[in-house]
Structures are given as structure tokens and as C-alpha cells.
Amino acid sequence: MIGRMLVAALLVATWSLPAAAQLTPDAEKALYEAAKAEGSVNWYVAHYSTEIAERYGRAFTEKYPGVKVNVVRATSGVVFQRVVQELRSGPPQADVLASADISHYLELKRRGQLETYRPANSATLIEPMRRIDPDDQYHAVSFGLVVLMRRTDKVKAEDAPKAWTDLHDPRWRNQIALSHPSFSGSVTTWTAALNKAYGWSFFEKLEKNKPQIGRSLLDTNAMLKAGERTVGMALLQAAAQDQDKGEPIAPIYPTDGGVVIAGSMAIVKGAPHPNAAKLFMEYLQGEAFDRLQSQDFFEPMHEGVPSRTGLVLKNTKLLIISPEELLKAAPEVKDKWRDTFGN
Amino acid sequence: MPVLTLNGLGRAFGKVNAVDGVDLRIADGEFVSLLGPSGCGKTTTLRMIAGFIDPTSGTIEVDGKVLSSTKGSLPPEKRGMSMIFQSYAIWPNMTVGQNVAFGLTLRKLPADEIKRRIDNILGVVKMTHLIDRYPAELSGGQQQRVALARAIVVQPSVLLLDEPLSNLDANLREEMRFEIRRLHDEFKITTVYVTHDQAEAMATSDRIAVMNLGKIEQVDDPHTLYTRPRKRFVAGFIGRTNFVSGKRDGGTVRFDGFSVDADRLDGAARSGPELLYSVRPQNLRLSLGAPEGGVIAVAGEVAERTFLGEHWDYVFAVKEGGARLRVSAPAHDVHAAGTKAWLAIDPALMVPID
Amino acid sequence: MSLATSIGEVRTRLANRGVDWTILIWIALAAILIFIVVNPLARLVLSSFEVVDGKGYTIDNYFAAYGRWRYVQALLNTLVMGAGVAVLSALFAVPLAWACARTDMPFKNFIRISVLAAFVTPPYLGAVGWVLLAGPNSGWINRAWVALTGATEPLVNVFSLGGLILIMACNLFFFIFVFVTAALELVSTEMEDAANVLGAGAFRTAFRITLPLVYPAILGGVIVVFLQSLALFGVPALIAIPARYPVVTTQLWQFFESPVRVEVAAAYAIPLLGITISLLGLQRWLLRRKGFVVVTGKGGERRITKLGAWRLPLLGYALFVCALSVLMPMVVLVQAAFSRAWGRGFSFDNLTLSNFQFVLFEHHGARQAVFNSITYAAIAAFFAISLSLCIAYIVNRKLLRFSGVLAFLCMAPFVIPGIVLAIGFYAAYAPPPLALYGTALILILSFTTRALPISYTNSAAGIRSVHPEMEEAVRVLGGGRFTAIRRVVAPLLKRSLVGAWILVFIPTCQELSTAIFLTGPNTRVMSVLMLDFSEEGKLEQLSALGGVLLVITIAIVALGFRIVGRDFMLRRIS
Ligand SMILES: Nc1ncnc2c1ncn2[C@@H]1O[C@H](COP(=O)(O)OP(=O)(O)O)[C@@H](O)[C@H]1O
Ligand SMILES: [Mg+2]
């Protein structure tokens, strides 16, 4: 299968070491001055929770006093809609868009509504994250993974599903937590990746187990925490964080591969604070931020930053779907989803 | 000199002519009532005088100055009149004193003058002790007095009243009737008073204008109006009456069941041969024997009777022709139904109707 | 003085009086209404015929909107849901209204206050409460059920059509309660006595005489509830998606996702308008012939029906309804608001204030949203009431010709579901030249539009209560119309206007279905934030924020009680 081949290709490829070039102090200073004049940056963000996004925003302001980050947290579908609405109605209010649904960037790019900018810091990233858009219109800022998770007090590690396909086991009837691809970009990616790996029958079988369907990839954690469900899909980072906080939740890395969510961001064309947006983008691709972010169980994007989940990406099976593939597949899988799951 | 003049005043609402060509001249200090059944256009006329409604024909003048015409009207607040409303329209958010003071403060009188006038007028309407009450704490009669005080204290050029007593009970109504007349005698304000109650109009007015279907039927002082009604409507509306119609035949006028010499009857010399007379029940006398002494004697019988306490109300059936006349008789004058009797009619009390 | 000159004088005075300003005012009011009512709607209809992302007109949007069975299915689902909500609301409201208005049932005030509380709680908050109560595996009810009976299947599942209907009915039955209470207070006991004399008992009398007399009120309430339920967005988002029961509002939302198809959304929204208008037509038709004593108002005394042995059963039912609609959801919401994780239950180590700390101090958007909600709602309520008061005044005093048109426009938003209105506003004012998208103004204006019908009914009732002669008495004494308004009308209306303002303020403060489409980064309101929280599964923080909203609302209701007396809310809504 193409998916597997792609994964395999990725696994054998050796990552070329990043070039040393990064944002020079002079360039940084100039950008900071310009950003300070603008005062703030409006960040429409879907792929972090509110607390984390707010915390990252504050960290940025700590490093660059005088540039405030206005966090507008919503799901990918919502942030995208808002940006599109704004762009239709005149100069946008959003500076930086962070949707988990890569097709959103492609759509905006097609309409010529994204700013072209190549962050100097992008050169420091590991290869799969470096310049994911050859035209430099959107940029990777986090390495997310969609995996399985379980309620530790209700499902023992040995009983837990090991692979995505294990979810078809009737044991998990009324026990699975999923999310809706129309409301969550990460879930769209996940749906497209699994559709690519196993075909749509994977979902038809899944439906037989009557999963509960939430509206965002964080909803599933809430369902487990509440005791509503016992296993589910999860953002690795979110599940690991919950585990860390002492919640009865543990991530499970599926043997058939975690789905890579290249958490991306883009600067909206005509953004009200373009320099602040660029500075913010530089910051997000810098190593300092990577260290901060990896503390929250995101996989590091720089070679020298340790992973808190203990995953060694180079040795792990990954399901990757390219932006173009996703753009093509997204409407189709969302549509099929509604046919299969009836909502 | 006539102070208030209505010239061919008319008002149409769509196709309805609520007021239709009213002419009226009201002298300075005169008290005139508009009397008529409900819906005859009294309120509309009054509100045109006040300036709330614009006429669709005719004019309203005060001292020769046109206030209302079809081309436009002076707004009510510029007319220097006063009005007392059916609902009293006492402002519930102000005390008695504030209500009465309102018009004076609008006229920007000095404070001590306002106080003097309020004290005076509240004394006149016997409300001095209630000056700080709110309207909700007053009885209907007291509210009415406040309304009167409020309207009079500004010394209006014309005082307008729209059925001011209709919300009071009967006793109070009678009391207030005299109160209103007393205030008029004291202040001599030109007054237009709207009512559908003839007793009210009689008790208060110098002259009464009887209205029907938007038109004035007759304007006269109360006594003339009662004793010499000129229109069928007026005779029927003011008090009760019998209408008898006759035909002139040479020197006599033939009625149903009796005839009279034409020269003994008022207005019998008029052009047409068809004549109509009104004769009040209390001007007819019932007797068992034939009456004498220059009156017309009519034979017949007592057809129905109703005892009303103060008097008897008989229906007398005339023998020839079968006309039925109502007769009012004192309480001691008892006749059983079916009794053969005579009726005495004084031709001088037969009033010709146009 | 000749007639000609005096007429000339009248004319000049007329100019002073300003015959023209009335025309100007009419034009100004009409312009405002066109801006906030007519144009958004016209744009909605128009854009349903526009080519997506292009120029020209087409009918394709309707094919896109109805060309798929799934979309039609969502519409049918919505109607089923609305009918269910209407019926259940009537079952809740009518017995309670009768019990509170006409019987000697004990604790009537407690029941009344609970009903009010059910209304003051935003529906989406109630939905969260019910998720905590009746989630199939984790809800308190099901956990208790499983623990007590050892059953393997849950007792109730909130993520179902039934759950959807129950949650909506719990909030909306208030309308029927208020309508019916008001009507029952006008039914003379003599009517009931007449039936009693003929040998009918209390219940037979209630069913055969009293209830049929208030049938118009019940019908009116049922229709309002039905329409309101179609237009709710928050509850379907929380319940219908997991329940896999697509409805119109969630479907509309999906037309806004990539690729955004406002035009198709507009086309899809048009039938909601159609349904609303035809229902109101149906209501007219149903009430066309029968004589209903109720509408004639007063007459006869009103006595209380003695329930005898039925007192406690009826109280039991009333408490049951209140428990479903307020008490149970409130208890779990409060628990969640003070919990680290609500699922861990009522234990000491689970107790925390951190959720409140988060929403009040840490989350930078939350304080802003609280502030926004309150200011927008306050301003919108003020706008709506000022506007409708002007119009009610003009209509009632017949100051202008065609003022009926203005009244009609004030009432028209009643037939526009909030989400549809939002799309209309979006289509009309989001694009240049006005480019209002994301501004506070567009939210305030749309809230104003939403609030117009309630404001207008209240203002008109207020104006009607001030006899025109009150003003004429001012004018005849020499005061102009504005003096009359300032010195008499305004003071007399003060109380009822404060009441109306609160009545408008509370639902506006909780508005979601319009706000969700029109809010921008700096104009988020509490309701939208709560929905975002729910997407992240932050039910504890959501409960805390909901608590903040409720505390504010209750403070304002209490203030209202203070200023205008206790039952302003239960009396004056229609
Ligand atoms: N504003 C109005 N619009 C239409 N018709 C009216 C209006 N005001 C009065 N009318 C009609 O004009 C007639 C006279 O009314 P009105 O002056 O109030 O009578 P009154 O005071 O003598 O009872 C009635 O037939 C009434 O229906
Ligand atoms: Mg009248």
C-alpha cells in the first residue's frame, strides 16, 4: 500500500543535518523593533489547547516585551472559517493562522491569501519539518502525532488495543472515543491517513462499535477522563500530558503507525501586524521554543532537543499524508464520514 | 363680542363625517354645552377647538383670529385653553400640588405667585389639606376636583370639558355639576362642556347646542330648549314627548282623533298642510269626566300604566283613530288599565316642529 | 385681522411646530429598521441566488442545499425535534402554570422561581449539565444505576433525540408557562363555577373549561417554543453531533467550513423562514373563528381551586419538572465548577477553585468575553428598547401615517432564527464598504435586531398603559409634545422600561446562535467562549464560566426585582 511504502521510504531515509543558518541578532533586532511598533499579533490557533497556547503567547511576550499575543483558540474548522470570512469582508484581523488541517493552507494558498515568508530559523529544523511548503507560505511549528489511548484504571495495558485495527474488536463496543473530521483538522488528517492505509471499510467496521464522536481531538480526552469511554484516539501530546498530571490516561503508540500532524502555521496576507507575525514565526521555529514545546510532550523538531515521550522518531512507524493528498481526500472522507456515522 | 366662533366646522374620518358644518358663536364668559347621543361628534368638535384634531372644513376663530382651518392649526399648547378629560388625566407621578402647579410653571410665573394661586384654587375646590397626596390616594370626586383646579388655575381663555362627570357615581355627579357651575360663576371663564346627559347640560349651561349626526340641531338656553324645541330630534332627546301629526284643512287642523282651530296653534300658518307638534306627557291631563275650559278634550281609554314612584306613566289610547299618547300623572292620580277616560290638551303647550 | 393673514400666521407657527420633523423621524426610524432588519434579510435571500465566489445569479445553491438526501434529512430531523420539544414543553409548562396560577398547591413561589431559573440558565449550559448527568457511561444517573442494579447497559443516554428534546424543553417551557399563566389570570372563576355547579370536579373543569379558554396562549407558547428550538445552535453542537442526529443548525455550520459556501448556507436557511411564517399563519387561522373570552380581559373575581388529595401529587410533578430543568443540572454544574475533574465525584481532594481562577485571571480571553457579553447586551437592550419605544409611541398615538409598517418591521425578527439572521448580517455587512465583520458594532446591531420583538411588545404595552389624555393634559396647559414625554410619559414608563430592559438584557447576554457567526478575535462573548471550552472538553472551566454568567444574570434579575417588583419577568413577556 502506498501509505506503508511512504512510511517505509521515510524510515530508511537518513535525515540530512540542518544547516547552521538561523536568525541573526541584527535581523532579529530589526524585526523586533518593527513588531514592537505594531504592538501585538493575533493568533488564530487550533492545534494547542487554550492553556498551552496562552502560555506560549506569554513566553513570546516575555522574550519580546511590548509584543502581545492575542490568542483566539478554536477548532481548525472554526479558525479557518473565521479567517475566510475576514478575508472575504476586507482586510483580515488574523495575523497568524494555526489550523491543524493542512488543506486549509492549500485552499488559502490557491486563492493567493497567504504571505510568503521564509523564517531564517526554518533552516535549523529536522528534515521532515523543514520547509514543508516549497513556496514558503506555510510552516511547520509542531510535530504532533495521533495515537491510541486508554483509561488506565479500566483497561489494562495488556488488554488495550495495540493497533488501529484492534478497535474493530467487539470488546470495544460503546467504549471508543473519536472525533468528527468536519470539526477537527487533526481528525481530518487522521481519517484521510487511515483511509489511505486501510480503505474506507476500516471506518465501516469501526462504526459497528458505536464510537462516541466529539468535536475536537481534545474532546476524546475529556470523554475518557469523565469515564464516558475507555479507549480512543488521542493527540499523543495531550494524552501524555494527562498522564503526567496524574489522570488515569495513558497513550498507546499504535503498531500500525501514529498519524503525523505537521502542526503548521501561516501568515495571512494583508495581516494587520505583519512584522509581529514574522517575528512570532521565527520564534516558533527557533530552538528555544522547541525546548519549551517538547516539555509539553510534543516531539522535538530540532536534532538536539530531547523527546519527553521517549519516542525516537527515526525508529518509529509513521503514517504521513502529504498536503496535496490531504487536500484531495478531505472533502471525500468528510462526506463518507457523514454517510457512515450519520452526522 | 363673540370670543369663540366655529364657522362651518367639519371633520371627516375617511368617509364618515364625524362633524358636519357646525356653526356656533360663544360669547365671552359664556357656558355652552354640546349635548347629543354618543357618536354624534361632540368630542371631535371639542378636540378641534382644543387643537388636537385639524378640521377638514371650516374654521375656528378666537377673537377673530383663526386658530384652526383646513390649512393647518395652531397646536394645543399655543392656544391658552384648558381642558378637563373624561379620564381626568391627573398625572400619577405628581402630587396634587405639583399637578396644579404644572401649567403655572410652564408659564414661568414667579414661585410666590404660583404658590399664592395654588393655595387659592385648592381652597376654592376644597382640597387644600390634600396638597401633598398622590392621585392614587384620592377618591374619584377628589381627582375630579384636582382636574378642575389644574385647568382653572392657569386662567385659560377657554375651558373645555369632555364628559367630566361620566365616571362618577350618581350622587357625586349631581354634586360636581353644581360645583362646576359655581366655579364658572366665580371665574367667568368661557366654557364648552360636552355631555350626553341632558340633566347635566341643563344644570350647568347658559346655552345648550344639541348635536346629532355631526350637526347642530338647535342652540338655545335650557328653558327654551325644553319648552320650545324646534326639531323633532331635540324634542325627543330632551325630556320625553308625544309627537302628533296633523293636516291643515281650511281653518282647522285635523289630528288623529281630534281637531283644533288653526289660529289657536303656534305655527299652523306655515306653508305646507302637513304639521307636526310635540306635546310633553306632563302637559297632558287625564280625567274621568270630560274636561272644560278652553282645552281640547279627547275621549279614549287608559291602555297601559307604569308606576314610577314620583309619578304615573300612562299610555292613553285615543278612541278615534287609535293614536297612543303618553301621559304623566301625579302618584295619587290612579286609573286602572282599561278605564274609559278623557284627555285634556292645552293647545298653547303644543310646540310646532319643523 | 383678516382671515388671510391669520392663516398665514398659522402657517408660520406650523413651521415652528415642525410638521416636517415627523416625516424626518419616520424616515430616520424606517432607515434604522431597514438597516438592521430589512437589508440583512434581503441580502440573505439575494445571496442564496448568488454564484459561489463569482458574479451573477443562479438557482444552483438550492440544488446544492437540497440536492442531497442528507441535507433534507437534517431538515426533517429538525422538525421532528422541534415538535418533540414543543410537546414536552407543553407537558411541563401547562400543569405548572395552572397549578401556580389557579390552585392551592403548596410552594408555588418556589416553583415559580425555579421556572425562572430554568429560563435564566442558557440552554447550552443546561446541556453541559445534562451531559454530566446522563452521559451513557459516565453520567451520574447512569453510574448510580449501574452501581445500584449491576446493570451493564446505561439507563439513559443524553446523546440521543430524547436527550436533545429534554434539554431544549427544560429551557424553553418557560415561554409556555408565562403565556399560560398570564392568560389564566384573566379567566374568571365564574366560568369555572358554572361548570362546578353542573357537577364537574376540579380536574374535569380544568380540562373542559379552563384549558380550552387559554388555548390561544398555549398555542402561542407552543409555536414560540417550536421556533426557538429550531434556531438553537449550542445544544445541537453539544448533543446532536455525538447523538449522530444532524439538524439544520449543525448542517448550516458545516456549510461554513472549507470550502466556505455562504450562498448555499443562505439557500439552506430560507425554509426556516418559510416554516416560521407559515406557522404564524397557521396560528392565525386556528384562532380565526372561536371566541376566546380570555382576550377580552378582566371580568369576575379569581379564586383558587382546592386540589384536596391532589395537592401533593401535583406538587410532586412540579418538583419533578423543576428537578429536571434546574435543580439536577445545577448541582452537577456547581460540582464540576469546583472540581479538578468532575468525574472523580464529590471528594475533598477533588475540590478546587482553580477553574474560577483560570477563567477569571489566567485565560486572557475570558475576562474580555465577560466584559463584552455584558456591554454588548446592555447596549443592544438599550438600543432595542429606545427604538421600539419610539415606534410604539408613534404607532399608539397615530402620529404618522403608515406607522404600522414600522411596527411590523419591529416584530418581523421574531420569525428569523438567530443563525439565519447572523448569515443575513454577515452577507450584508461583512463585505466592504462597511466591513463590520469582527467589530463590536455588528454584534450589537444583530443583538438589537434579535431583541426588537420582545422590546416592542413591552414598549407597546407600556405606552398603551399611559392614557393619551395624560399627555394631552400637558399640551393643553401649554407644554409641547416633548415636555409631555419628559415630564409625564417617561416618568410613568420608567419602571416598565427597566423591566423590559432586563428582560431583553438577560437572553442577549447569553446569545450564541447569532454571535457564533459574527464574533471576531476581540469581540468574543461568553457564550462563544463556552462553546470553545466544550470543544476542548474543558467542562470544569466551562461550568465555572457558566457560574460567572449566572451570578451576573442573577444579580441583574435581583436588581430588577428591587426596582420594578418581583414578578416583572413572569408577567411581561409575550
Ligand atoms: N380617530 C377617528 N377615526 C375614525 N373615526 C373616528 C375617529 N374619532 C371619531 N370617529 C368617529 O366619529 C364619530 C364621532 O365621534 P365622537 O366625536 O367621539 O363622538 P361623541 O364624542 O359625540 O360620542 C363617531 O362615529 C366615531 O366613530
Ligand atoms: Mg365623546
Side-chain angles (χ1 to χ4, degrees), chain B residues 51-96:
Chain B
F52 290 119
I53 299 180
D54 296 340
T56 46
S57 63
T59 59
I60 297 171
E61 294 172 29
V62 169
D63 288 337
K65 208 171 77 182
V66 175
L67 299 190
S68 295
S69 74
T70 50
K71 301 209 175 58
S73 302
L74 195 64
E77 58 266 29
K78 303 254 172 73
R79 295 189 175 211
M81 299 179 176
S82 268
M83 184 159 174
I84 291 175
F85 298 88
Q86 207 166 349
S87 67
Y88 315 142
I90 305 293
W91 303 304
N93 55 323
M94 303 182 201
T95 61
V96 168

Side-chain angles (χ1 to χ4, degrees), chain A residues 18-35:
Chain A
Q22 52 173 307
L23 190 63
T24 64
D26 282 351
E28 183 184 356
K29 193 155 171 269
L31 200 52
Y32 176 37
E33 288 307 320

